[in-house]
Amino acid sequence: VKSYQQYCAVARALDVVGDRWVLLIVRELMAFGPSRFSDLQRGLPGIASNLLAERLRSMETADLIERHEAPAPIGSQVYQLTARGRELEDVLRALTRWGMATMPTGPTDHDAVQPQWTALLAGFTVSEQVPDDTELVLGIETSSESRAESVHVVLRPDGFEIARGLGEDPDVTLRGSARLVGGVLSGLLSPARASRMGLRVTGRRTVISELFSNRPRTGVDR
Amino acid sequence: VKSYQQYCAVARALDVVGDRWVLLIVRELMAFGPSRFSDLQRGLPGIASNLLAERLRSMETADLIERHEAPAPIGSQVYQLTARGRELEDVLRALTRWGMATMPTGPTDHDAVQPQWTALLAGFTVSEQVPDDTELVLGIETSSESRAESVHVVLRPDGFEIARGLGEDPDVTLRGSARLVGGVLSGLLSPARASRMGLRVTGRRTVISELFSNRPRTGVDR
DNA sequence: CCGCATCCGGGGCGATACTG
DNA sequence: CAGTATCGCCCCGGATGCGG
C-alpha cells in the first residue's frame, strides 16, 4: 500500500510485509516451498486472483520471492522465497506463537481449514524437540466438513519439510478435526484429552507423548 | 479490516494486528508505556486522528490495550498495553530484526525520525548484553533537519525502559543523525566508523565498545 | 486448466474541518 | 487536548474474460 515514511525498523518492515496477504503468501511458500500460482490460490482461500498476481509482482520487486521456469513435469513457472524472504521465518514464528493462543476457540463455521497450516505449526513448535540424528515423519489429516486432506511433515531437530499427501509410511499419523490436531501440536491440548475428544492417532503412538513430555504447558509464555 | 477466515495461527494473529497502524501503536506503547492520545499522535506521524481513535477502540475490544483515567498530574485518560498486548514483544522483535537490514539506506528526506524508535531498537538488541546486576542509562539524541529530540533508555539485562529527555546523568550519550545512532545500536555500523562519520559520543565511551564487542557482525543472521 | 487482465461495487484509509 | 464528522480516493474483493 503506502509507506509509513518513518525511519524505524518496524515501520520499514511493515512497509514491505504489512500489506494484506503478503505474510500469508510467505506462509504458503515456507510450508510447501516452490509453488505455482494455482497452488498458492488453493492455500489462500479468499484471495482474488488479480490481487495474488499483484502481490507476487511487488514481492518479487521487494526481493521476497523469485520467479522461475518450472522444471520438467510442469511447463509453467513457480514462485519461491529468496534468502531475504526466508529470513521472515522468525516473524512467522512469533505471529504463530501469538496467534496460537486464540486457536482453542476452534474454527468458526466459515473458517477455511488446510492441513499445511497445522503442519507448519508442528514444524515451528516441535521440530527442535526431535532427538539428534533422527528423522520423524508425521502424517496429518485434518477433516473439514466436506472432505479430508492430508500432508506429512518430515521433522528434524534443525528444521522440517512439508509435502502433500501422507507420504510413505509415516511414523505417526494424526487424524481428526483441525482443532484437535492443532491443539495437540501447539501444546494447548494434551494428547490424552484430544484422544477422548475424537482424535485418532495411528503408528508409533509413544512418539507423541515423548515429543510433548518436556514442552511448556502453554505456548504463550516465553 | 476483514478477517481472513482461516483456521491458522498466523492468519488469526493478523486478523488482530494486521490492520494498518496497529503494530505501530503497540510499538509506541511498548516504548513509552502508558500514553495519552496526543502522545501517540506525536509518535505516529501521518496517522489521522479519526483512524487513531478507531484503532484504539478496536484494540481495546481485542484486549490489546486498556483505557485508564490518568493519575494526578494530567486530568485525562491514558492508554496502555494489556498482558496480551505485551506478548506482542516477540513479534516486534522479529520485525525489528528483519527491518534493521534496510536501515543502512538511511532515512529518505520525507521519513520522520523519532528518538524512541532508535531507543526501542537499543532495548531489543543490546539489553541482554548488559552485565548482571548493573543498570546502564543510555542517552539518545537524534537530530533531524529541523530540531533535535532526545530520550534515554535504562538498560538492564532483563529488560529496559524508555523515557523522554536525557534523564539525569546518563552513562553514555549518543548524538547524531538517526542513521548513525541507529546504525551503531543495531550493530550494522561500528562505533569507530560512526564516529568518523559524525557521531558524537559523550560519557563513559568504553561502555559502547564493551556492549558491542561480542555481538554478531550483522543483525540479520540468527 | 493455468495465469493472469479488466471491470465494478463497497469500504477502509487519509486529509481537513470542527467541537467540547 | 481529545477526539468526532465529513468527504474523496483508492484498495480490496468478486466476477468475468481471454490468451497460452
Side-chain angles (χ1 to χ4, degrees):
Chain A
V1 194
K2 198 191 167 193
S3 164
Y4 285 110
Q5 306 213 99
Q6 298 183 1
Y7 190 68
C8 157
V10 180
R12 289 278 181 109
L14 292 176
D15 281 344
V16 180
V17 301
D19 286 6
R20 197 164 166 80
W21 295 109
V22 169
L23 280 176
L24 295 188
I25 295 173
V26 174
R27 173 196 71 188
E28 289 303 305
L29 292 173
M30 200 164 288
F32 276 137
S35 307
R36 294 178 302 176
F37 189 92
S38 54
D39 296 329
L40 294 172
Q41 232 175 349
R42 247 188 306 274
L44 299 164
I47 197 174
S49 57
N50 57 352
L51 255 196
L52 177 55
E54 192 279 336
R55 288 294 186 270
L56 290 174
R57 254 175 305 179
S58 56
M59 288 172 72
E60 193 180 7
T61 303
D63 190 36
L64 294 185
I65 62 173
E66 47 192 20
R67 196 184 305 249
H68 282 291
E69 299 301 322
I74 35 185
S76 178
Q77 42 185 5
V78 293
Y79 301 88
Q80 61 180 319
L81 293 173
T82 61
R84 179 76 178 144
R86 263 172 277 139
E87 282 168 6
L88 285 167
E89 178 172 332
D90 281 350
V91 174
L92 286 192
R93 278 182 183 270
L95 284 170
T96 298
R97 278 187 82 81
W98 195 83
M100 257 169 40
T102 76
M103 301 298 279
T105 321
T108 313
D109 290 350
H110 314 313
D111 282 4
V113 169
Q114 300 253 8
Q116 69 266 28
W117 306 337
T118 309
L120 192 64
L121 188 65
F124 282 165
T125 55
V126 304
S127 98
E128 64 261 12
Q129 301 288 332
V130 177
D132 283 347
D133 296 324
T134 59
E135 192 174 88
L136 182 65
V137 179
L138 182 65
I140 294 178
E141 183 177 292
T142 53
S143 50
S144 67
E145 17 194 69
S146 48
R147 66 175 175 281
E149 280 181 301
S150 54
V151 298
H152 64 279
V153 201
V154 182
L155 295 168
R156 304 181 134 281
D158 60 334
F160 59 91
E161 282 173 39
I162 302 175
R164 303 173 204 281
L166 282 181
E168 68 281 3
D169 192 35
D171 295 297
V172 206
T173 304
L174 302 180
R175 300 165 207 266
S177 73
R179 170 133 167 255
L180 292 174
V181 178
V184 168
L185 291 174
S186 66
L188 295 170
L189 185 62
S190 76
R193 274 191 60 115
S195 294
R196 263 176 271 129
M197 295 169 72
L199 181 75
R200 297 182 318 174
V201 183
T202 59
R204 298 167 44 206
R205 308 190 48 171
T206 59
V207 170
I208 293 294
S209 48
E210 282 167 17
L211 278 181
F212 296 95
S213 54
N214 49 0
R215 299 263 315 287
R217 197 182 170 289
T218 73
V220 201
D221 53 312
R222 299 196 56 193
Chain B
V1 195
K2 199 193 169 193
S3 165
Y4 284 112
Q5 306 210 106
Q6 300 181 0
Y7 189 67
C8 157
V10 180
R12 290 278 182 109
L14 291 176
D15 281 345
V16 180
V17 300
D19 285 7
R20 197 163 166 81
W21 295 109
V22 169
L23 280 176
L24 294 187
I25 294 173
V26 174
R27 173 197 70 187
E28 289 302 306
L29 292 172
M30 200 165 288
F32 277 137
S35 307
R36 295 178 300 177
F37 190 92
S38 55
D39 296 329
L40 293 172
Q41 233 174 348
R42 246 189 307 274
L44 298 164
I47 197 174
S49 57
N50 57 351
L51 256 196
L52 178 55
E54 192 279 336
R55 288 296 186 268
L56 290 174
R57 259 182 311 227
S58 56
M59 288 171 72
E60 193 179 7
T61 304
D63 189 37
L64 295 186
I65 63 173
E66 47 192 20
R67 195 184 309 248
H68 282 291
E69 300 300 323
I74 36 186
S76 176
Q77 41 186 5
V78 293
Y79 301 88
Q80 60 180 321
L81 292 174
T82 61
R84 178 77 178 144
R86 264 174 272 130
E87 283 167 6
L88 285 168
E89 179 173 331
D90 281 350
V91 175
L92 285 192
R93 278 181 182 272
L95 284 171
T96 297
R97 279 186 83 81
W98 195 83
M100 257 170 38
T102 76
M103 300 299 277
T105 320
T108 313
D109 290 350
H110 316 313
D111 282 5
V113 170
Q114 300 253 9
Q116 69 266 28
W117 305 337
T118 309
L120 191 64
L121 188 64
F124 282 165
T125 55
V126 304
S127 99
E128 64 261 13
Q129 300 289 332
V130 177
D132 283 348
D133 295 325
T134 58
E135 193 174 88
L136 183 64
V137 179
L138 182 64
I140 294 180
E141 183 177 292
T142 52
S143 50
S144 67
E145 15 193 72
S146 47
R147 65 174 177 281
E149 280 182 300
S150 54
V151 298
H152 64 278
V153 201
V154 182
L155 296 167
R156 302 182 136 283
D158 59 334
F160 59 92
E161 283 174 38
I162 302 177
R164 304 175 204 279
L166 282 181
E168 69 282 1
D169 192 34
D171 295 296
V172 207
T173 304
L174 301 180
R175 299 166 207 265
S177 72
R179 171 135 165 254
L180 292 174
V181 178
V184 167
L185 291 173
S186 66
L188 296 172
L189 183 64
S190 75
R193 273 190 61 115
S195 294
R196 264 177 269 129
M197 294 168 71
L199 181 76
R200 295 182 320 175
V201 184
T202 60
R204 298 168 45 208
R205 309 191 46 170
T206 58
V207 171
I208 294 293
S209 47
E210 283 165 17
L211 278 180
F212 296 95
S213 54
N214 49 359
R215 299 262 317 287
R217 197 182 170 289
T218 73
V220 200
D221 51 313
R222 299 195 58 193

